[in-house]
Amino acid sequence: MANIPAPPKGTKGKPPAKAQTLDNLSRPEAGELKPLNFKVPAEFRRAFKTYAAAHDLSMVQLLREGFDLVKAKRGT
């Protein structure tokens, strides 16, 4: 068997060159698209995509239009 020495203990490495800034505190530009991630049943997804395609809409346009209708019906 080869005699391999153990790595040195207690070495953390060099610190980062400059401080990392958190980007989660800044607001996105108005109109900038951001991801909206949630899961839906496969049947609903298929029906949603089919409806959007059949009516020449993007899925984002369909979601926005549906949300606007719900807000109008229930109030803001």
Side-chain angles (χ1 to χ4, degrees), residues 9 12 17 21 24 29 31 40-41 44 49 59 61 68 76:
K9 294 184 179 182
K12 293 184 179 180
T21 59
N24 63 347
E29 295 290 326
V40 295
F44 177 81
K49 286 187 78 157
M59 292 174 58
Q61 289 171 323
D68 288 341
T76 54

Side-chain angles (χ1 to χ4, degrees), residues 4 17-19 22 24 28 46 52 61-62 65-66 71:
I4 301 173
K18 61 180 182 178
L22 296 177
N24 63 347
R46 190 176 308 112
Q61 289 171 323
L62 181 57
E65 188 175 330
K71 286 193 307 184

